Amino acid sequence: MTRLSVNINKVALIRNARGSNLPNLVQIAIDCEQFGAEGITVHPRPDERHVRYDDIPALQPIVKTEFNIEGNPTPEFLKLVLDNKPHQCTLVPDAPDALTSDNGWDTIANEPFLTDVISELKRAGIRVSLFMNPEKRFIEGAKKVGADRIEFYTGPYAEQFSENKKTAIAPYIASAQFANSLQLGINAGHDLNLKNLKYFKNNIEDLLEVSIGHALICDALYYGLHNAIQLYLKELS
Ligand code: PXP
C-alpha cells in the first residue's frame, strides 16, 4: 500500500496572499484527511512564503493520520521539528531562496552533519527520511547516516515522462531495488500528477508514501478537493 500525503503548502500560499485566514489551513488539513488523505505534509521555508512556522503547532494536534514536516535542517527548523514531534521529518538540502526543492542529498559530503541531525531526531522518536536523487552511492550513504527512509526526488522522472517513460523510470527502479535491499523505506515526491503517478507506483516495489502538493491543489481548482484526493487515491490503488 502506498500512502497519499497531501502537501498543503500551496494552500498556505493563497492564504498568505491576503494576510487573512482564508483559506483556513487547519480546516483544510482536517478536510484533506476526511476526504481520504493518509498524511499531511508541510514544508516551512525560511521566508515563510508558504506554511509559516506558527502554523506547525496549530496543525500538530489535529493531524490524525501522519504528519510529515519537510525542510532544510537549519537550527530553527530542527527546533520547530523537535518542539512539535511529527511522525516523520523529511530532510531536504534546499537553499533558503530556492523556488522549490530541486536536488537530493550528497550523503557522502554531508555524512557527519546528517549523522548528528538524524540521531537527534530519532532520539525524539521521529522517523527520518532523506530527499534523494536515484543514485546508488548516495543511497548507500543514506543508510550509513542512519536514515529510516529515502524520498526520491521525482522531478526528473516527471520531466522525462512524456518523452520516454521507460527511460524516465529506469534509474528509480534500480535505486529502489537497492534501497529495499538495504532495508531503507521508500517515499517519493515532486511533480507527481494524475498522468505520471500510476506508472511510478506500478514500477517501484514497496513504495510506502508519495507526497503531492502542486498538481493536486491545481486539480482541486477544477474537481474540488474531495474529488481530487479521491482521483489520486485511485491512481495508487
Ligand atoms: N517533496 C519535497 C521535498 C518537496 O519540497 C515538495 C514540494 O514542496 C514535494 C515533495 C511535493 O512536490 P509537488 O508540490 O510538486 O507535488
Side-chain angles (χ1 to χ4, degrees):
M1 178 194 153
T2 305
R3 295 174 81 105
L4 172 65
S5 186
V6 175
N7 179 321
I8 57 173
N9 261 32
K10 286 287 143 61
V11 177
L13 186 73
I14 298 173
R15 177 201 59 190
N16 297 351
R18 279 291 174 95
S20 66
N21 196 28
L22 189 69
N24 179 324
L25 200 64
V26 167
Q27 190 59 48
I28 291 279
I30 292 169
D31 291 339
C32 283
E33 289 190 327
Q34 202 171 356
F35 298 158
E38 292 144 331
I40 299 293
T41 291
V42 292
H43 190 143
R45 289 198 160 85
D47 62 7
E48 300 189 285
R49 67 186 187 275
H50 305 123
V51 164
R52 296 190 299 247
Y53 273 42
D54 67 5
D55 286 320
I56 309 302
L59 289 165
Q60 201 280 345
I62 62 94
V63 175
K64 302 292 178 226
T65 52
E66 184 202 84
F67 193 29
N68 176 42
I69 306 182
E70 309 175 334
N72 192 323
T74 59
E76 297 76 29
F77 176 86
L78 286 173
K79 181 174 181 329
L80 181 78
V81 172
L82 290 166
D83 285 350
N84 289 282
K85 296 206 174 37
H87 302 97
Q88 178 173 270
C89 177
T90 303
L91 304 178
V92 186
D94 54 349
D97 57 350
L99 186 60
T100 184
S101 316
D102 57 4
N103 217 344
W105 283 100
D106 176 339
T107 50
I108 299 167
N110 292 289
E111 186 185 328
F113 171 67
L114 287 172
T115 304
D116 285 355
V117 168
I118 291 172
S119 72
E120 191 177 4
L121 292 170
K122 284 173 73 169
R123 264 200 310 277
I126 301 165
R127 186 206 302 142
V128 183
S129 179
L130 292 182
F131 196 55
M132 304 286 301
N133 298 324
E135 277 189 55
K136 281 190 184 176
R137 66 198 170 113
F138 293 144
I139 293 170
E140 196 167 27
K143 182 72 184 175
K144 218 168 165 190
V145 297
D148 301 296
R149 293 192 186 181
I150 57 169
E151 180 187 322
F152 280 131
Y153 168 43
T154 47
Y157 161 75
E159 208 178 309
Q160 280 185 40
F161 178 82
S162 50
E163 268 173 43
N164 189 333
K165 57 186 178 185
K166 276 196 171 161
T167 311
I169 197 78
Y172 295 88
I173 294 176
S175 298
Q177 281 165 354
F178 185 59
N180 278 327
S181 77
L182 298 177
Q183 292 178 326
L184 281 166
I186 300 174
N187 298 341
H190 221 285
D191 298 314
L192 293 173
N193 60 36
L194 287 173
K195 290 202 177 93
N196 62 31
L197 178 60
K198 196 184 206 55
Y199 188 74
F200 193 86
K201 146 92 188 156
N202 286 348
N203 280 283
I204 300 302
E205 208 181 312
D206 292 330
L207 179 62
L208 298 174
E209 181 179 302
V210 287
S211 79
I212 305 183
H214 188 80
L216 191 153
I217 300 303
C218 292
D219 288 329
L221 294 175
Y222 286 92
Y223 303 125
L225 190 54
H226 187 176
N227 288 330
I229 289 173
Q230 287 298 315
L231 287 168
Y232 279 81
L233 287 172
K234 195 159 159 261
E235 297 303 292
L236 292 171
S237 65

